[in-house]
Amino acid sequence: MALAAAGMLVLAAAGNGHAADGKQLATDSAGPSGNPDWTCTYGSANGQACFAPLGEWFKIRDTMVDGYPVVIQWRFFDDEVSPTGAVVREGTIWNTAGEAAGWRYVNKSFPESDWGVTLKSVFFRACSSNYNNNSVLVHTCSEWESEYT
């Protein structure tokens, strides 16, 4: 009985970790202070996404007046948690404000790499999407970009 209860607790904790990431709406028009180094996506005429590892900030903007919102699809990898390279966390960050709104920001929290011991990285891309049914228009996506945290 205790073993079953412990297993249920582990499943609940794992479920909560993913649920906390999942689908987020980027509504902040102001990002981090200072001038962080951004790694940005290219190759999509519909949207652009960037990630700043210092502070773990994402930003996204719609670059086309086409009626479709844009989304960041992101994946977090941690070789300490998953030495096989499996995705540890993932989610989407949506910008439904339209092209005229400019950049929208979301602050996340990821563990940082311990160079020479463990590596942690974020992969992300920008795509057009349908917010209401959570669908991504894959043919509009940029290439995946990556950055170490």
Side-chain angles (χ1 to χ4, degrees), residues 92-107:
T92 54
I93 299 171
W94 300 76
N95 178 346
T96 60
E99 185 266 341
W103 291 104
R104 292 291 183 252
Y105 298 84
V106 169
N107 187 221

Side-chain angles (χ1 to χ4, degrees), residues 87-143:
V87 174
V88 174
R89 292 169 55 190
E90 62 187 334
T92 54
I93 299 171
W94 300 76
N95 178 346
T96 60
E99 185 266 341
W103 291 104
R104 292 291 183 252
Y105 298 84
V106 169
N107 187 221
K108 301 292 290 178
S109 182
F110 299 115
E112 295 181 9
S113 293
D114 185 3
W115 296 101
V117 179
T118 64
L119 290 178
K120 289 120 175 42
S121 56
V122 174
F123 283 69
F124 62 98
R125 68 181 180 176
C127 307
S128 286
S129 59
N130 183 318
Y131 183 79
N132 293 330
N133 67 13
N134 292 321
S135 65
V136 171
L137 305 174
V138 177
H139 67 281
T140 68
C141 294
S142 67
E143 297 295 321

Side-chain angles (χ1 to χ4, degrees), residues 43-108:
S44 172
N46 300 13
Q48 186 177 26
C50 301
F51 177 72
L54 184 59
E56 295 93 30
W57 282 88
F58 282 102
K59 67 179 179 177
I60 183 167
R61 67 179 175 153
D62 195 332
T63 57
M64 182 175 282
V65 181
D66 60 3
Y68 288 102
V70 290
V71 64
I72 298 172
Q73 291 182 306
W74 64 266
R75 297 174 180 159
F76 177 73
F77 297 87
D78 182 340
D79 69 356
E80 184 177 19
V81 174
S82 179
T84 61
V87 174
V88 174
R89 292 169 55 190
E90 62 187 334
T92 54
I93 299 171
W94 300 76
N95 178 346
T96 60
E99 185 266 341
W103 291 104
R104 292 291 183 252
Y105 298 84
V106 169
N107 187 221
K108 301 292 290 178

